[in-house]
Amino acid sequence: MKQLLGFIRKEFRHIFRDPRTMIILFGIPIVQLLLFGYVITTEIKDARIAILDKSHDEVTREITHKLLSSGYFKLDAMLDNEGQIDNIFRQGNVKEVVVFQDDFGKRLKRDGQANVQVIADASDPNTAQLLSNYTNAIVQDYLQKKFVNYKIPLEIKPQVRMLFNESLVGAFMYVPGTMALILIIISAMMTSITIVREKEMGTMEILLVSPLKSHHIIIGKVTPYLILSVINAVTIVILGNLVFGVPVRGSLILLMFVVILYIMLALSLGILISTIAASQFSAMFVSIMALMLPTMLLSGFIYPIDNMPVVLQVLSNIMPARWFIEAVKAVMLKGVGAGYIWKQLLIMAGMTIFFLGISVKKFKLRLE
Amino acid sequence: MENEDIVIRVRDLVKKFGQFVADDHLSFDVYKGEIFGFLGANGAGKTTAIRMLCGLLEPTSGELTVAGLDGFKQREAIKRRIGYMSQKFSLYEDLTVNENIRLFAGIYGIPTRIRKEKTEELLEKLELTSARKKLVRDLPLGWKQKLAFSLAIIHDPSIVFLDEPSGGVDPVTRRRFWDLIYEAAHEGITVFVTTHYMDEAEYCDRVAIMSAGKIVALDTPEALKKEWDATSMDGVFLKLARSNE
């Protein structure tokens, strides 16, 4: 234990004495969070929606058909009552729920006015905004074409409600995304570089010949990065709250648990990269190409996963960040408990064990 | 009969990587306090051999005893009894002299009180007392080499392995470095050194020369020179190489 502490102390010294490392560790996260506060527009395709039709008449059926055949929406469920709405959003499969009031068709023809409620999951504000706009446009289009020669002017009033993020703040989306990106950079890239550096300098040989066990070496190398990453994650959450007003609605402990699990996952990736990469440069290159870019593009951080080509959607499943972002958004914005994100937690834990397993195997092979 | 003074005992040691035989039936003994040289071109099997002796690699077959411990089953225990210095005199360049000493003393589990004594002793011997707070990066090469060696034996090992310890160092510095090696050997630490500098080979008590995975010669430098009718180890090496072609 004492050996290990001495080793960890040395690792901290490496970090604090290297200005470049310090900039990557503490400068980049803040700059990125502020940069990503700005919005990037995206497109809608096959967004999953649920419909609650209290009227079940010809008009609501036709509007439903029109929505679903537009190519923008895909039916996830027909709901029976309002009580189901909250639940279906918390499960996270559905982006929007459309509610037709009772006697919709009758009211429309009798009073010239009927109400449709559009509720969107605004924890992803870009998508939510686009979805509600599209829905509205389709409904209005239907109205104009269908009742083109009707005697009184008809009106369908859409009432839009943005769930979880009423004011559609872009940062709500970018705080979890930035966390995903930063933690991958620090944990995976920095650890792979620092381990490979020991190989390059020849100090790894000395450590291997010493009585330190190889798992001690690994723990000693990654512990400082685990601690610093947690500090960074906390900083991002605080900054997101103070600057952009991003709330933490769920349990803070659960959020930290998700964060630490993801950091472990990233660290295991870093260790894996270090067993493959021969130089610090190639460790950095592999980290950027294999981790950073896919994390930005495929995790749902910038582009909604639902709109990607099927191949990329499948690919996004193997992005650790995808599951992290889903879990963090659910805890921070929807305020759900562990019961709602067990799938994401399980996947991340599974990935961590898988990557560690390969690393250990590779590590031994390299020695032989 | 087991000789008490044998610290490394190797019999028919073989290491294969798949079909490739890196070390082919090596047999030799190294005695306590001896400076044992291990010579050979790159790829001759030196590195693989030294890795087995250090407990880093498990041999394929044969017998291996290092410091009284079995080279197959007690590899972790062997690591506590040996010191190792690599060709890059690997120290942490961004740590100070003091911090490096403290780190390696810690890794080998030396208690704090003894560590402090040893640190002073070591700094004084190396004349580094005034440079103790300097980063290793800023030290001249010769000092780094001496510091790396002193750290390799900071835990009083029975054997210290030096893997080409004089790369890139000029002959005068090399000579001074060897004074440290003699001193360690005098204190009873066995020194196992690989090198391709032939002047270094002359400093050894006995030398083994490896070629293509086998030991092709093993004796004192004087005896080898006599046998091969050469004036220097350089000559021995050349003649040996030719006869093996």
Side-chain angles (χ1 to χ4, degrees), chain A residues 70-268:
Chain A
S70 67
Y72 301 125
F73 304 105
K74 207 170 152 187
L75 187 66
D76 187 83
M78 291 299 288
L79 305 180
D80 301 320
N81 57 61
E82 262 146 355
Q84 295 172 314
I85 295 176
D86 204 41
N87 201 27
I88 203 163
F89 271 121
R90 278 174 199 275
Q91 281 168 8
N93 299 326
V94 157
K95 299 275 174 217
E96 183 184 81
V97 174
V98 179
V99 184
F100 296 106
Q101 72 175 155
D102 46 16
D103 296 329
F104 189 89
K106 257 190 222 160
R107 282 176 204 251
L108 186 65
K109 285 169 191 165
R110 190 185 62 211
D111 309 335
Q113 189 187 346
N115 290 329
V116 59
Q117 198 185 11
V118 176
I119 310 167
D121 176 353
S123 56
D124 178 355
N126 299 327
T127 313
Q129 185 75 70
L130 286 167
L131 284 174
S132 63
N133 289 347
Y134 282 28
T135 310
N136 192 17
I138 290 168
V139 170
Q140 300 308 331
D141 183 57
Y142 164 80
L143 202 60
Q144 277 173 12
K145 285 186 180 147
K146 174 84 183 178
F147 301 99
V148 71
N149 289 320
Y150 211 66
K151 40 202 181 238
I152 49 168
L154 297 180
E155 191 185 5
I156 294 179
K157 273 197 171 163
Q159 301 164 327
V160 178
R161 239 192 91 202
M162 293 296 171
L163 223 57
F164 310 122
N165 179 5
E166 310 272 340
S167 48
L168 288 180
V169 186
F172 280 35
M173 172 68 196
Y174 292 110
V175 166
T178 309
M179 259 209 285
L181 192 61
I182 295 300
L183 296 181
I184 277 273
I185 297 177
I186 295 175
S187 308
M189 186 165 98
M190 303 300 278
T191 39
S192 66
I193 290 177
T194 162
I195 295 175
V196 173
R197 183 169 59 192
E198 297 243 6
K199 282 201 262 175
E200 271 187 346
M201 302 295 290
T203 43
M204 188 54 99
E205 244 179 309
I206 306 279
L207 296 176
L208 289 174
V209 181
S210 81
L212 279 178
K213 302 255 163 46
S214 43
H215 66 264
H216 281 151
I217 300 176
I218 298 291
I219 293 172
K221 297 277 332 165
V222 303
T223 304
Y225 290 95
L226 174 66
I227 295 170
L228 294 174
S229 297
V230 171
I231 294 176
N232 253 312
V234 172
T235 312
I236 293 174
V237 172
I238 293 174
L239 212 63
N241 190 284
L242 295 182
V243 181
F244 298 112
V246 181
V248 179
R249 297 203 173 102
S251 143
L252 206 57
I253 293 169
L254 181 60
L255 180 64
M256 286 329 287
F257 180 77
V258 173
V259 165
I260 290 171
L261 181 60
Y262 179 68
I263 293 172
M264 307 263 254
L265 173 49
L267 291 175
S268 69

